[in-house]
Amino acid sequence: MTPLIGIISSKCDVSVYSSCLNTWCYLLHKLDISVNHPWVIELVLDPIFGAVFRFGPDVKTFWLWNLCLDLLDDFILAKCRNLDHETSSQVSHHSTSSKWSWKLQPIKWLPWTIGQLDFLVKMMDIIISHASIATITPENRSSACDAALRIFRSFLKGVQMDFRSSSTKYNDIMLCLNTLLRFIKKICEDATSEGGRSSELHHTSLQFLEAVVQELEPSILGSPLYKVSLNFTCIENLQMVDNIRNVKYLGISSVAYMDMVSPLVYLSVLYICVVIPSTPATRGMELLLQGLRRFFKTILLLYDPVESLSVAVGLLYKHMEFRHLDIWTAIAKGLEDFFNGLTVKDLSLLKMDSNRDFPRAVCHLLSYPFVVCSCSWPTQKKDSGSLKESLVSPERKLKLQQVAEVWKSLYGARCASKFNKFSETSSLTEELCSMLNGCVDQNISMLDHGTEQYFHCDDIGLTYLSATAVTCVMEQQILTLAASSVGNNVEHARDHKTFSVIKNSLDFSSRFLKLSWSMMETDPSIILFVTSRVFSVLVCFVRCLHTKPSILLFIETISCPLLQWLSHREIQEASTNEQLHHLWSEILNCLRRCQPPIVFDSSLLKLQAPLLEKTLDHPKSTISELTVAFWNSTYGKQIKLDYPESLLDILDKLSRNKRINLQTKSLPFLGKCHSISEVTAQRSRVTATNSWNSKRVELVEDTANQFEPENRLASSSKRKRVGLTEHQKEVRRAQQGRGMDCCGHGPGIRTYTSVDFSQGNEDSQESQEIRDPESILEMLRRTA
């Protein structure tokens, strides 16, 4: 073998290489089954394979390269054939000149054993090493990557045969796994060390990882019995970003350096570590992201999705940069594909009641873009201007739009029809809103305290994404209200779980309105656009509210930020003004249509006072007219009201201008009469009765009947009624012709005066005084 190895290793003419390879192949044929002996492999196969593969896929030696690749591939695949059937392999090669051609003699390959692992890995390593050579041509690099991947897939098929065999011992399985993972790790480290110079190698390293997941049994890769050390240098010095308070609050756990993990977790971490160093400018970045999406969907479907998702989310939270939103997008799309590919029997895993880890991991993934935008970093005053300009750059806006669309799609997939059980969807929404509230609160706090001059956050990005989230969450709440009839069922509306979810959703909406209000001066066009969308969905939400508890909850939660927006006098954007007007109109309408009806008393007035103070005399006539009409139809009809001090000035102004109604406790009907003469005109009149030729006293109009029963005057409800005397009863019977008169006469025609009815009446004096207008007024003053 020494002469042959010497010839192959030196620079010779192609004809010399051809003769040498022909002799070597004939030797392999004559060795028969001994060709599989470990010593033969070491002394005969290893040197020649190594020498040829080191040539690389060069044009002059390309046929040598292909010949050895075919021989090596045939040697590896022998393990997958029927062991009782000897298969001959005939490998042929034709050079560019047809005068060198031959047909190789059959070589009797036997299934390789675990003892040949190192030999096979060594050959694959030599083949793939050409991809990392800087001077190699793109065509040769691509050929090297394709060849290595081809041999690697054949190798995995043989490994899988060992894993399936019941005779394979635990130690042998661990030996295979450690050898395999060590080889893949080296390829990935070579790919990342190139610094993006070889997109082909990046792509191939990820294909190696995908091949392992596709070819090997999930029962091995995902088994808790087989643990490997997570010895990646890329995560050795990574620490969770502890200075971000809301990350601590989220309670995210992550793998750490040298942790003992399953092979699947090892592969998942390695995959993400290959993709993360890449930047949007990296050649082939789109291919990398597509591969990550495909890989993530595969491991979620084939393995434990809780573990896979938790690992991915934990790694993401160790990389808190805006550029890493591309990685988040790929993982989110993979998760969405996973949701869309689930069957009914798979849904038990996702139920909040049975397993809260997976839904919580989904919430953490959905929260990641918000946490990235709420991260703060130190800024210099001289750089603050350029930094703010970069935050509103067209490229950044486009990226935010893409992230928002993916977020909306993922949230929608999670809440789709197969997940529409109220308890599960509500639990997801409640937990998600709690997480997002923490992100928004941190930014609002920084804005309120002016710390943004020392630390800067992507407030615009956070505001834009929050608008998308609020819209999605509130639309889901609208569907939930409609499906569960919360809006029409008072008892259900009082349910604690329902109220808790609605409250968290409204709290998030309220925080968004506060944040957008604070960001008005930064980029008014974006802020007004997204705020208009939120106002619109809130209008739809309010239309679904019909019970007092839900209506009051909405008013209590939204009042503060809504007051800020209603106080703004310079909103020029037409759509925002229109939606704000619609929202205020719907709030007033839902108060009036509530079932059972709401009592507009002092306690409710106190709750509404801040909003009424701004809207009763609002500079926009459409809002003020709405509010005045609402007042007159509700509070304007009430007598017993304790007016909040904040409303006294505006109520006084509007009442003096006769725009609103204010009911008083004394002389409430005098406002209906324009003069004393009108009161006099409505006094008693005497009418003649023709039926019995008698005179009757009839009250033309009881003034007190103009008011509510509880407000009627004492003359009709408070004075004690006095029964008729015996004489009066006889007079009445005589008038009706039903009895004897006081002298014993029978029915007849007699004439009686009003004096007959005044006998025994304690109020006779008052009856005489009622003819005098001054007496009427005096009587009313006493009864008021």
Side-chain angles (χ1 to χ4, degrees):
M1 284 300 300
T2 302
L4 293 177
I5 295 173
I7 294 173
I8 292 295
S9 302
S10 61
K11 291 184 178 181
C12 299
D13 187 72
V14 175
S15 60
V16 177
Y17 288 143
S18 177
S19 299
C20 183
L21 257 289
N22 193 23
T23 303
W24 180 67
C25 289
Y26 181 75
L27 175 62
L28 296 180
H29 166 67
K30 297 302 291 183
L31 285 172
D32 200 60
I33 62 173
S34 299
V35 72
N36 300 281
H37 194 278
W39 285 1
V40 175
I41 291 176
E42 181 181 355
L43 297 176
V44 178
L45 291 181
D46 190 325
I48 300 299
F49 276 149
V52 173
F53 290 147
R54 287 187 181 92
F55 287 156
D58 189 73
V59 175
K60 294 181 179 180
T61 57
F62 192 73
W63 65 272
L64 292 174
W65 169 275
N66 281 339
L67 173 63
C68 289
L69 281 177
D70 290 341
L71 285 172
L72 179 61
D73 191 42
D74 198 58
F75 168 70
I76 296 173
L77 289 176
K79 190 162 189 169
C80 305
R81 300 189 184 104
N82 189 337
L83 300 183
D84 296 331
H85 178 70
E86 294 184 358
T87 304
S88 299
S89 175
Q90 295 184 349
V91 183
S92 62
H93 173 76
H94 298 278
S95 69
T96 55
S97 175
S98 60
K99 78 175 184 178
W100 289 299
S101 63
W102 63 90
K103 188 175 182 179
L104 296 177
Q105 296 297 323
I107 301 173
K108 295 184 178 180
W109 302 115
L110 296 179
W112 53 272
T113 64
I114 293 178
Q116 276 89 54
L117 280 176
D118 290 339
F119 161 69
L120 295 175
V121 169
K122 177 182 177 182
M123 295 301 105
M124 290 186 291
D125 185 47
I126 295 173
I127 296 171
I128 194 64
S129 64
H130 294 284
S132 59
I133 298 176
T135 58
I136 195 173
T137 63
E139 294 78 10
N140 289 346
R141 177 179 286 112
S142 179
S143 296
C145 291
D146 291 342
L149 188 59
R150 169 193 168 190
I151 298 300
F152 184 68
R153 285 189 176 276
S154 299
F155 170 72
L156 290 177
K157 288 182 172 64
V159 171
Q160 176 63 19
M161 293 293 293
D162 281 330
F163 286 168
R164 287 179 177 174
S165 175
S166 58
S167 61
T168 305
K169 297 181 179 179
Y170 174 83
N171 290 337
D172 291 336
I173 293 178
M174 288 303 303
L175 176 62
C176 282
L177 288 173
N178 284 316
T179 303
L180 174 65
L181 296 178
R182 186 165 55 248
F183 169 63
I184 295 178
K185 174 192 171 186
K186 182 179 183 301
I187 296 175
C188 293
E189 287 179 344
D190 290 342
T192 55
S193 65
E194 289 298 304
R197 181 173 56 191
S198 173
S199 60
E200 187 76 34
L201 184 56
H202 268 86
H203 186 57
T204 302
S205 64
L206 298 181
Q207 287 182 309
F208 270 76
L209 293 168
E210 293 173 12
V212 175
V213 173
Q214 294 167 0
E215 298 291 344
L216 298 187
E217 286 284 348
S219 60
I220 297 295
L221 295 183
S223 173
L225 298 177
Y226 310 108
K227 296 289 186 179
V228 292
S229 177
L230 200 63
N231 54 353
F232 301 152
T233 56
C234 61
I235 65 170
E236 182 175 0
N237 299 319
L238 280 180
Q239 299 295 330
M240 188 65 71
V241 188
D242 292 330
N243 62 327
I244 304 174
R245 286 174 293 171
N246 48 16
V247 172
K248 286 184 176 180
Y249 152 74
L250 291 175
I252 299 172
S253 58
S254 179
V255 292
Y257 180 65
M258 297 306 292
D259 278 356
M260 299 301 293
V261 298
S262 68
L264 178 67
V265 171
Y266 187 99
L267 295 170
S268 302
V269 174
L270 194 53
Y271 201 111
I272 295 175
C273 286
V274 172
V275 179
I276 279 181
S278 306
T279 63
T282 302
R283 291 178 56 191
M285 184 61 182
E286 189 61 31
L287 287 176
L288 298 182
L289 296 177
Q290 290 175 4
L292 177 58
R293 174 182 180 176
R294 185 171 56 250
F295 175 81
F296 199 68
K297 174 189 175 182
T298 301
I299 64 174
L300 286 173
L301 288 172
L302 296 180
Y303 301 91
D304 180 11
V306 177
E307 183 181 45
S308 302
L309 182 59
S310 299
V311 168
V313 169
L315 281 177
L316 272 179
Y317 275 89
K318 287 187 174 183
H319 299 82
M320 307 294 293
E321 297 181 31
F322 189 84
R323 65 186 180 91
H324 292 138
L325 287 177
D326 285 331
I327 312 298
W328 175 88
T329 299
I331 294 177
K333 288 181 177 179
L335 181 58
E336 181 184 351
D337 294 339
F338 165 72
F339 284 139
N340 295 332
L342 285 176
T343 60
V344 176
K345 66 179 182 180
D346 300 321
L347 301 183
S348 59
L349 171 70
L350 308 179
K351 292 181 178 179
M352 295 291 289
D353 297 336
S354 61
N355 190 341
R356 295 188 59 86
D357 292 336
F358 187 79
R360 185 176 293 112
V362 174
C363 289
H364 287 155
L365 183 66
L366 288 170
S367 300
Y368 177 79
F370 298 84
V371 177
V372 169
C373 290
S374 64
C375 287
S376 58
W377 61 89
T379 60
Q380 301 294 332
K381 288 186 177 180
K382 62 180 180 180
D383 298 329
S384 59
S386 59
L387 181 57
K388 289 184 178 180
E389 291 179 3
S390 67
L391 292 178
V392 295
S393 64
E395 295 79 8
R396 198 176 185 91
K397 289 181 180 179
L398 179 60
K399 177 58 64 179
L400 286 173
Q401 292 175 6
Q402 294 172 350
V403 170
E405 286 300 317
V406 173
W407 196 99
K408 180 179 179 180
S409 182
L410 175 58
Y411 181 81
R414 179 60 183 91
C415 299
S417 58
K418 60 180 66 174
F419 306 104
N420 64 354
K421 288 187 177 180
F422 176 74
S423 61
E424 297 172 14
T425 303
S426 298
S427 297
L428 172 76
T429 301
E430 183 176 15
E431 190 157 6
L432 176 62
C433 287
S434 297
M435 294 179 184
L436 299 184
N437 284 342
C439 298
V440 178
D441 282 344
Q442 180 175 337
N443 276 51
I444 292 177
S445 176
M446 293 182 66
L447 290 170
D448 291 342
H449 293 85
T451 53
E452 72 275 12
Q453 60 182 322
Y454 306 108
F455 293 88
H456 199 85
C457 303
D458 187 3
D459 300 309
I460 296 177
L462 182 62
T463 306
Y464 186 87
L465 294 177
S466 296
T468 299
V470 169
T471 303
C472 293
V473 167
M474 296 311 298
E475 285 176 349
Q476 184 61 38
Q477 290 307 301
I478 292 172
L479 295 176
T480 301
L481 289 174
S484 59
S485 300
V486 175
N488 301 313
N489 189 329
V490 178
E491 294 301 322
H492 193 85
R494 295 177 186 273
D495 178 71
H496 173 73
K497 184 63 178 178
T498 307
F499 249 48
S500 178
V501 177
I502 293 178
K503 186 178 187 309
N504 272 277
S505 302
L506 291 177
D507 282 342
F508 183 40
S509 303
S510 175
R511 284 169 168 84
F512 164 78
L513 293 177
K514 290 179 183 179
L515 179 63
S516 61
W517 170 261
S518 303
M519 294 297 299
M520 271 290 292
E521 296 181 359
T522 306
D523 193 334
S525 61
I526 291 182
I527 299 303
L528 291 175
F529 171 73
V530 298
T531 304
S532 175
R533 289 167 48 201
V534 171
F535 282 152
S536 178
V537 74
L538 289 177
V539 169
C540 298
F541 178 78
V542 174
R543 287 174 183 162
C544 298
L545 302 180
H546 300 282
T547 63
K548 180 178 179 180
S550 57
I551 292 172
L552 295 185
L553 175 64
F554 181 87
I555 295 176
E556 290 172 0
T557 309
I558 298 295
S559 286
C560 181
L562 183 59
L563 181 62
Q564 291 178 311
W565 281 97
L566 287 170
S567 302
H568 201 292
R569 298 171 180 265
E570 300 177 357
I571 300 178
Q572 302 299 328
E573 210 273 325
S575 177
T576 306
N577 279 325
E578 181 181 1
Q579 294 303 328
L580 181 60
H581 170 266
H582 288 334
L583 177 58
W584 180 238
S585 175
E586 284 299 328
I587 291 175
L588 299 181
N589 288 338
C590 79
L591 284 167
R592 284 180 286 199
R593 70 167 179 262
C594 176
Q595 292 298 327
I598 289 180
V599 178
F600 292 91
D601 53 13
S602 299
S603 60
L604 183 58
L605 180 59
K606 183 179 180 181
L607 175 64
Q608 280 193 279
L611 289 171
L612 293 175
E613 180 185 1
K614 293 295 181 183
T615 55
L616 278 169
D617 195 26
H618 198 273
K620 291 183 175 61
S621 59
T622 53
I623 292 180
S624 62
E625 290 171 1
L626 276 175
T627 313
V628 168
F630 168 78
W631 177 277
N632 289 333
S633 64
T634 55
Y635 297 108
K637 293 183 177 181
Q638 307 301 317
I639 293 179
K640 296 181 180 181
L641 281 178
D642 296 327
Y643 298 105
E645 187 175 352
S646 59
L647 289 179
L648 295 180
D649 184 62
I650 189 67
L651 292 178
D652 176 66
K653 174 183 175 182
L654 295 178
S655 63
R656 285 189 286 108
N657 292 337
K658 301 186 183 302
R659 292 190 61 194
I660 64 170
N661 299 330
L662 292 178
Q663 298 294 347
T664 58
K665 295 181 181 179
S666 61
L667 300 180
F669 70 95
L670 287 183
K672 306 284 184 180
C673 301
H674 299 288
S675 64
I676 295 297
S677 61
E678 293 185 25
V679 179
T680 307
Q682 298 180 43
R683 65 193 180 105
S684 302
R685 64 182 177 140
V686 179
T687 60
T689 58
N690 296 327
S691 59
W692 299 107
N693 294 331
S694 64
K695 297 180 180 178
R696 289 185 180 178
V697 179
E698 180 181 1
L699 188 62
V700 174
E701 182 176 352
D702 186 356
T703 310
N705 287 336
Q706 301 176 22
F707 306 97
E708 297 296 327
E710 62 269 23
N711 296 328
R712 289 178 180 170
L713 297 176
S715 59
S716 60
S717 63
K718 292 184 180 179
R719 266 204 318 257
K720 180 179 179 181
R721 296 183 179 270
V722 180
L724 295 176
T725 65
E726 289 298 324
H727 174 73
Q728 291 170 333
K729 292 179 180 178
E730 290 179 0
V731 171
R732 178 148 300 180
R733 285 196 299 269
Q735 288 177 336
Q736 296 174 352
R738 292 182 302 173
M740 308 286 289
D741 63 13
C742 58
C743 298
H745 300 93
I749 301 175
R750 297 186 61 181
T751 302
Y752 296 92
T753 65
S754 61
V755 178
D756 294 309
F757 285 90
S758 66
Q759 296 176 7
N761 191 341
E762 296 176 2
D763 292 328
S764 60
Q765 180 64 30
E766 186 174 335
S767 299
Q768 297 295 327
E769 293 175 353
I770 198 169
R771 298 188 181 95
D772 186 359
E774 296 298 326
S775 299
I776 293 175
L777 292 177
E778 183 61 26
M779 177 192 70
L780 294 175
R781 291 190 185 95
R782 290 199 307 269
T783 59

